[in-house]
């Protein structure tokens, strides 16, 4: 069996450090390990429109930003196909056919959709497109016969629902579709990076993100203003490292080499944590260290971004060619799907003969 990787993001804003540790880093690693036959990364503009119907300009603005973020973290267009969802029209056709295999009550039980409906205060005014986006996401995945789908934890119910649709399709018609598997980041802590304000999630709407495209001064300001342990008032006070976003970021990002380079008084994070917990270690010192660590991560990303910012036409071609290639693959699957569903009328010469037979006197 082939190993096909597919994943994507809604282009509702620039990507941030949470995206980086939670998924982008993992994608680059997958890309470079080359234990796969093909890898696709999709800018999910059609999905983003399911709850932004009256705000298409926001989506349009962010297509390029997300593409630049992808390229700047090191996704290589020679190894992966980057494409735009709405350019692949087979996806909407697949969605329409799969929707016959899903019940309203099953969609209502999808925990991710349930949660998102609550977050958006849709109540009785849920757009049908939003409600059914798990079906469209199944089309995204199955059109490429992806068996590996690297996602964040919140997407697990989506993948589960996709697996059910695949099984139902294959049972009802024939074995055309491939069941996908979710791949979560290995580092538990990276599943969800908290915001700089201590909120459980880094999120654009909360204004607590460090963006991959932030410049050095912006990063410095954000890090130096980060929420820490509110009870660690004086330097001598014992501090809490557990619910402290500064330490959570260090847990995810800091290496022993970072200590050697930027904070050689400590061998590693354990030593630093022990000192903070005992008391006598000020927040400013740790924040300065964290700033250097984040800069170490962001510098190469910024360099690559600069390169592509000077070559927007090249980025545009990457998306255009990627979308064309993705369309060809998805059209192939659509053809198989239609043939399994017996709606391939003009491809089936037997059908014409049968019809002719019917009216042969
Ligand atoms: N729902 C995903 C998100 O919000 C984006 C997405 C759309 C996706 N289609 C996909 C992810 C297919 C993986 C596979 O992040």
């Amino acid at each position: 069996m082939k190993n096909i990787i597919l994943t994507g993001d809604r282009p509702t804003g620039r990507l941030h450090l949470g995206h980086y540790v939670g998924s982008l880093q993992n994608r680059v690693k997958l890309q470079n390990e080359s234990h796969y036959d093909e890898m696709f990364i999709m800018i999910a503009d059609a999905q983003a429109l399911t709850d932004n119907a009256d705000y298409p300009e926001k989506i349009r603005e962010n297509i390029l930003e997300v593409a630049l973020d992808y390229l700047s973290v090191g996704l290589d267009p020679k190894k992966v196909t980057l494409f735009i969802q709405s350019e692949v029209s087979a996806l909407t056709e697949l969605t329409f056919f799969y929707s016959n295999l899903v019940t309203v009550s099953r969609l209502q039980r999808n925990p991710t959709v349930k949660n998102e409906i609550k977050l958006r205060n849709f109540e009785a005014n849920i757009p049908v497109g939003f409600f059914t986006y798990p079906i469209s996401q199944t089309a995204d995945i199955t059109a490429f016969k992806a068996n590996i789908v690297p996602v964040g934890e919140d997407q697990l119910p989506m993948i589960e629902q996709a697996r059910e649709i695949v099984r139902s399709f294959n049972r009802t018609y024939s074995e055309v579709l491939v069941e996908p598997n979710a791949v979560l980041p290995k580092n538990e802590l990276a599943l969800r990076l908290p915001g700089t304000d201590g909120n459980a999630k880094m999120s654009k709407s909360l204004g607590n993100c460090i963006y991959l495209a932030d410049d050095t001064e912006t990063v410095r300001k954000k890090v130096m203003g980060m929420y820490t342990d509110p009870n660690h008032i004086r330097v001598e006070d014992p501090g809490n490292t557990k619910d402290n976003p500064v330490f959570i970021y260090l847990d995810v990002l800091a290496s022993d080499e970072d200590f050697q380079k930027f904070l050689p008084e400590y061998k590693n994070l354990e030593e630093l944590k022990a000192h903070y917990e005992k008391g006598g270690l000020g927040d400013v010192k740790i924040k300065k260290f964290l700033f250097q660590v984040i800069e170490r991560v962001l510098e190469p990303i910024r360099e690559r971004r600069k390169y592509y910012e000077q070559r927007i036409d090249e980025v545009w071609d990457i998306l255009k060619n990627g979308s064309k290639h993705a369309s060809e693959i998805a059209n192939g699957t659509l053809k198989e799907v239609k043939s399994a569903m017996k709606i391939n009328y003009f491809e089936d010469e037997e059908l014409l003969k049968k019809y002719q037979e019917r009216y042969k006197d």
Side-chain angles (χ1 to χ4, degrees), residues 122-139:
F122 279 145
E123 283 152 33
N125 301 311
I126 310 164
V128 171
F130 185 81
F131 182 62
T132 56
Y133 92 73
I135 307 175
S136 144
Q137 188 155 334
T138 302

Side-chain angles (χ1 to χ4, degrees), residues 279-308:
L281 179 53
D283 283 339
V284 170
K285 184 161 177 174
I286 310 162
K287 285 178 173 176
K288 279 189 176 149
F289 175 56
L290 174 61
F291 164 69
Q292 286 173 303
V293 173
I294 293 180
E295 280 292 289
R296 190 258 305 151
V297 174
L298 291 186
E299 265 161 19
I301 297 177
R302 249 183 236 132
E303 280 306 302
R304 276 188 228 102
R305 202 175 214 279
K306 236 181 260 149
Y307 173 92
Y308 283 107

